[in-house]
Amino acid sequence: MIRINRLAYATIETPDLDRQSDYYREVLGLTAGYSDRKTIFLHAALDRHSVILRSGDRAACTELGLHIAHHENLSALQTQLASNGVVVERRSDSQPGVADSLVFTDPKGTMITVFNEPEQPVPTTGGVGAAPTTIGHVAFNVEDVAATVDFYCNVLGFRFSDAIEDFFVWLRCNPNHHSVNFVRGKRIKMHHLAFEVRDWNHLQTSCDFLSKAGYPTIWGPGRHGCGHNIFTYHRDPDGNIIELFAELDQMREELGYFEPRPWHRQRPQQPKVWPSNPAASNLWGPMPPPDFLD
Ligand SMILES: [Fe+2]
């Protein structure tokens, strides 16, 4: 089976491209690359693309860019997808730096673009705004968590990392504890988009900068139970929830457990189904506001 090995980027549609562009460049601190009247490619320090902003009717995440290893074959993945009933389109030059890609739709209606070209980070302006190092994960509200997890694991090769009962699941595609997560919601939508920062100090200075720029923290700081990352959340100008995090659990696949950390309360820390209690959400820090999970 050919497995996705990285979340490359998220495409975010917006009714106000200029306003979102200002936030993602000057507040979040991503660097703008190629752009035209309706699309802007932005990247964090370690990415080629992290976010594609696209002019649209409403705020929504409409596409994920996913990567397979350079030595893997796109044609073989195309066959793998087709054998699972997925309608796949092969596209040439779908975007700058991606000469060959597969495009299809996942069960929740998000367009997925898969490519295998080596992604070289491009120079960043650096030192502006929160300036995360890389895109981390995308969380979605979905109506049918089990069906979405089944597709991502059995068709795209993601692995189970953690769940809270049967309504919240975290999946990984590399050592990072999760690159996507799915929580049951009343409607299908992106729940949050997360970026990794270097460490606790970077998180603190980011929050200082964001609050001064008019983007207060809506949840955090705290340390999650599932994934054990330290976190803060705020909203972008369209109301999309943006997470900044550090110290995410790292899977030691050959050992079958997460790299031991001093704050783990299970030794070894293994993938598991957590009960729905506060420890799954937080080891410490404030609990989420009542409307956080929609
Ligand atoms: Fe998250």
Side-chain angles (χ1 to χ4, degrees):
M1 181 185 202
I2 295 177
R3 294 168 154 187
I4 299 298
N5 74 348
R6 204 169 77 78
L7 168 67
Y9 65 84
T11 298
I12 306 295
E13 287 196 0
T14 173
D16 192 333
L17 187 62
D18 289 341
R19 187 177 66 171
Q20 283 290 72
S21 173
D22 287 347
Y23 161 82
Y24 279 90
R25 286 184 299 109
E26 294 166 17
V27 178
L28 192 58
L30 304 185
T31 299
Y34 173 85
S35 62
D36 58 31
R37 226 162 39 84
K38 293 195 164 182
T39 312
I40 302 172
F41 291 81
L42 302 123
H43 67 91
L46 300 181
D47 301 336
R48 183 178 184 87
H49 300 140
S50 312
V51 171
I52 301 173
L53 290 178
R54 211 180 285 286
S55 198
D57 296 333
R58 62 192 180 93
C61 173
T62 55
E63 179 197 6
L64 295 182
L66 302 177
H67 196 257
I68 58 173
H70 183 49
H71 62 267
E72 298 280 22
N73 186 294
L74 271 185
S75 296
L77 178 60
Q78 190 169 6
T79 302
Q80 175 177 308
L81 291 163
S83 71
N84 283 280
V86 180
V87 178
V88 188
E89 182 188 340
R90 190 93 178 232
R91 285 193 191 168
S92 300
D93 298 317
S94 62
Q95 57 184 261
V98 178
D100 193 10
S101 59
L102 301 178
V103 179
F104 53 94
T105 302
D106 76 6
K108 58 184 166 45
T110 306
M111 187 171 120
I112 305 291
T113 298
V114 180
F115 55 98
N116 67 348
E117 288 155 57
E119 287 196 289
Q120 301 299 327
V122 292
T124 60
T125 50
V128 178
T133 54
T134 182
I135 188 172
H137 58 269
V138 187
F140 290 92
N141 285 120
V142 296
E143 291 164 322
D144 190 336
V145 173
T148 312
V149 168
D150 179 66
F151 180 84
Y152 273 76
C153 289
N154 296 321
V155 179
L156 300 180
F158 280 70
R159 276 83 74 200
F160 172 83
S161 280
D162 270 315
I164 302 177
E165 296 185 352
D166 64 349
F167 65 89
F168 207 154
V169 178
W170 287 258
L171 301 178
R172 68 181 184 278
C173 59
N174 56 39
N176 294 324
H177 178 273
H178 58 284
S179 293
V180 291
N181 45 331
F182 303 111
V183 59
R184 189 180 302 142
K186 295 174 190 144
R187 61 194 175 97
I188 296 172
K189 69 175 182 65
M190 182 178 80
H191 182 268
H192 66 267
L193 173 60
F195 297 89
E196 186 170 15
V197 295
R198 291 187 304 276
D199 53 23
W200 176 237
N201 188 54
H202 190 177
L203 200 59
Q204 177 210 322
T205 54
S206 296
C207 289
D208 287 339
F209 177 85
L210 288 165
S211 70
K212 198 172 174 185
Y215 296 90
T217 299
I218 60 167
W219 183 24
R223 185 183 294 285
H224 282 311
C226 300
H228 293 89
N229 41 316
I230 49 175
F231 65 86
T232 67
Y233 296 83
H234 67 280
R235 289 184 187 272
D236 75 11
D238 278 354
N240 300 308
I241 298 175
I242 305 296
E243 177 186 1
L244 299 178
F245 71 90
E247 298 185 348
L248 184 67
D249 277 346
Q250 298 292 299
M251 171 53 75
R252 293 290 185 95
E253 203 72 69
E254 61 275 76
L255 299 176
Y257 52 76
F258 294 102
E259 187 175 81
R261 302 288 176 88
W263 43 81
H264 286 167
R265 294 173 187 177
Q266 178 190 11
R267 295 183 187 281
Q269 186 73 44
Q270 294 171 305
K272 66 174 182 176
V273 177
W274 298 57
S276 184
N277 63 27
S281 167
N282 281 39
L283 292 192
W284 53 262
M287 296 304 291
D291 60 347
F292 190 78
L293 286 180
D294 192 23

